[in-house]
Amino acid sequence: MSYTRTCISGLFLLFLTLTCEAYSGFIGVKDTHFELNGSPFLFNGFNSYWLMHVAAEPTERYKVTEVLKDASAAGLSVCRTWAFSDGGDRALRISPGVYDERVFQGLDFVISEAKKYGVRLILSFVNQWNDFGGKAQYVQWARNAGAYISNDDDFYTHPLLKKYYKNHIEKVITRLNSITRVAYKDDPTIMAWELMNEPRDQADYSGKTVNAWVQEMASFVKSLDNKHLLEVGMEGFYGDSIPERKSVNPGYQVGTDYISNHLINEIDFATIHAYTDQWLSGQSDDAQFAWMERWITNHWQDARTILKKPLVLAEFGKSSRGQGSRDTFMSNVYRNVYNLAKEGGTMAGSLVWQLMAHGMENYDDGYCIVLGQNPSTTQIISDQAHVMASLAQSFNQPH
């Protein structure tokens, strides 16, 4: 059966009825797997970084509703998105301490719609990259205030930059949703907070600088909110703690350490990202598939035996503008995720990059997927959602 927009809409009420009760609690961690209301929780999910940005304009909110509704009907249960927009167009934070209430209400809407459609959210606090501000905007603000900043990686060590960041964390976590009237810190619709999208530090490749920053900021988050899970936002590059593991990296380091960064007590689960078409550009599809399997499997082994925490493939994708079949690539990744998840649930789920609504071509980075627009891709995504949910259910059955 192929999913069309009509089929997705037809299944929606049934899916919502089956899931609304199950999504009433906070997602937690037990041993090396996620739990929801005492039962194992596995998922298939997606990235849609743009939700708050679009929802800041009320006339465009239908795009948010479309994606969450179609994703929910296809069985997708977790979405990762930005809870930041520092400076620039539709900025959430116009300058340090100055927020645009209209944009915050856009994020309120995203959370309320996610709750309506049974989708959990992972909300990220800041970007490594310049999109939507990132470290570079923090540095510019600090320089405008008269601080001496040598480079963007001072983000991890300079007291003023750390103050700006902590202030934003507190502003978001303590926000009272204008629609639901529930504080973010008390809302189980939020699955987890993310410290940073893809932290990197070109000034210290050992990972120690980022490690100290993660420890400080993770402790700060947990001092404000001990109900929600917390993750770093890492791509998964290995550092100095286990030198032999560096051979797993795609030929370079980025100043993080998958092992030490995730061993921090306040970090509840590990994440990895994977873009073989970027990291291994020029290599054959077979070579990229083989590397991808090694990348996921090595991190799963370490999550299970060293970190003893769940693992999420938090970003992966294949550009439609490149060589090879995206459907074949996604099927292979999903099969790998499922097979590892069967071994006790440490491999807990994956989040494809990225879902868009109809009419968002100007946002398309080559990785855009519109559910229902390409039936074969939609079917692959939906099938993975259902087999992961079935696997979680099977773990809960007496053996």
Side-chain angles (χ1 to χ4, degrees):
M1 177 182 71
S2 295
Y3 265 81
T4 64
R5 287 187 54 76
T6 302
C7 180
I8 287 174
S9 298
L11 287 175
F12 168 67
L13 287 176
L14 174 62
F15 180 82
L16 188 59
T17 300
L18 292 173
T19 60
C20 63
E21 183 177 343
Y23 279 78
S24 59
F26 286 88
I27 294 175
V29 169
K30 182 178 180 181
D31 301 323
T32 62
H33 64 270
F34 291 125
E35 276 198 344
L36 175 59
N37 299 326
S39 298
F41 179 74
L42 300 171
F43 64 88
N44 195 26
F46 62 101
N47 286 272
S48 288
Y49 73 85
W50 50 270
L51 295 177
M52 178 182 69
H53 181 76
V54 166
E57 176 51 62
T59 60
E60 295 184 25
R61 288 182 178 178
Y62 69 91
K63 298 174 184 175
V64 174
T65 301
E66 176 190 316
V67 163
L68 290 172
K69 180 178 180 180
D70 288 356
S72 176
L76 301 176
S77 55
V78 177
C79 170
R80 176 172 169 264
T81 192
W82 298 166
F84 64 81
S85 181
D86 299 306
D89 178 44
R90 298 187 198 177
L92 173 61
R93 183 164 46 164
I94 299 166
S95 61
V98 180
Y99 285 79
D100 187 334
E101 175 62 19
R102 182 186 66 134
V103 180
F104 239 142
Q105 289 177 9
L107 186 55
D108 293 344
F109 178 79
V110 170
I111 295 170
S112 68
E113 287 295 277
K115 179 180 181 180
K116 183 185 298 182
Y117 294 110
V119 176
R120 302 289 181 143
L121 298 173
I122 297 175
L123 297 180
S124 187
F125 289 130
V126 73
N127 209 356
Q128 151 71 27
W129 312 106
N130 294 347
D131 302 291
F132 297 90
K135 290 193 304 186
Q137 180 63 74
Y138 276 71
V139 166
Q140 187 59 54
W141 282 334
R143 286 175 174 158
N144 292 346
Y148 172 74
I149 310 291
S150 59
N151 61 65
D152 288 357
D153 287 324
D154 282 355
F155 176 86
Y156 301 110
T157 56
H158 195 284
L160 184 56
L161 297 174
K162 291 197 289 184
K163 179 182 177 182
Y164 289 161
Y165 178 70
K166 286 180 178 178
N167 288 347
H168 179 63
I169 288 174
E170 185 167 7
K171 187 77 170 179
V172 172
I173 286 178
T174 60
R175 167 78 176 180
L176 182 68
N177 192 309
S178 62
I179 299 172
T180 67
R181 309 308 297 171
V182 176
Y184 286 13
K185 64 185 179 65
D186 297 323
D187 194 336
T189 307
I190 299 167
M191 172 181 173
W193 305 112
E194 177 178 280
L195 291 180
M196 186 178 205
N197 174 49
E198 300 187 335
R200 293 186 175 192
D201 181 8
Q202 303 304 306
D204 179 8
Y205 284 121
S206 72
K208 292 179 181 177
T209 297
V210 170
N211 210 64
W213 179 83
V214 170
Q215 178 64 78
E216 179 179 350
M217 299 310 169
S219 297
F220 182 71
V221 170
K222 290 294 187 177
S223 75
L224 297 171
D225 175 10
N226 60 8
K227 295 179 181 178
H228 287 103
L229 301 178
L230 178 65
E231 49 102 348
V232 183
M234 290 183 58
E235 298 161 278
F237 287 78
Y238 288 94
D240 286 357
S241 62
I242 304 181
E244 59 269 26
R245 276 301 203 210
K246 293 181 187 177
S247 63
V248 178
N249 293 340
Y252 55 95
Q253 292 175 255
V254 298
T256 60
D257 188 319
Y258 171 76
I259 300 296
S260 64
N261 298 161
H262 282 127
L263 278 172
I264 290 168
N265 287 335
E266 291 83 358
I267 297 302
D268 295 299
F269 62 97
T271 65
I272 58 174
H273 297 182
Y275 291 99
T276 56
D277 53 0
Q278 296 179 26
W279 297 355
L280 304 172
S281 61
Q283 296 195 22
S284 69
D285 278 357
D286 287 346
Q288 291 187 17
F289 289 148
W291 182 88
M292 185 75 163
E293 187 169 359
R294 288 194 303 272
W295 179 253
I296 297 174
T297 302
N298 275 278
H299 288 87
W300 165 75
Q301 290 171 341
D302 292 337
R304 192 180 191 188
T305 61
I306 300 174
L307 305 178
K308 296 180 170 58
K309 297 178 181 181
L311 172 65
V312 173
L313 176 58
E315 279 190 33
F316 79 98
K318 183 177 179 64
S319 176
S320 60
R321 300 167 187 166
Q323 301 297 315
S325 165
R326 180 158 67 180
D327 282 359
T328 301
F329 172 81
M330 290 178 62
S331 294
N332 284 340
V333 171
Y334 281 153
R335 187 178 305 110
N336 194 199
V337 167
Y338 176 78
N339 287 337
L340 295 178
K342 283 197 299 185
E343 303 298 320
T346 298
M347 182 74 243
S350 57
L351 302 163
V352 69
W353 188 276
Q354 62 174 321
L355 295 193
M356 293 281 180
H358 286 78
M360 295 185 67
E361 289 78 11
N362 57 321
Y363 285 80
D364 189 4
D365 57 359
Y367 295 83
C368 168
I369 298 170
V370 178
L371 290 178
Q373 195 169 76
N374 186 318
S376 63
T377 305
T378 301
Q379 189 68 58
I380 290 166
I381 292 171
S382 181
D383 286 349
Q384 179 72 0
H386 291 294
V387 298
M388 292 293 283
S390 296
L391 181 60
Q393 192 172 28
S394 73
F395 286 159
N396 207 34
Q397 302 300 317
H399 295 285

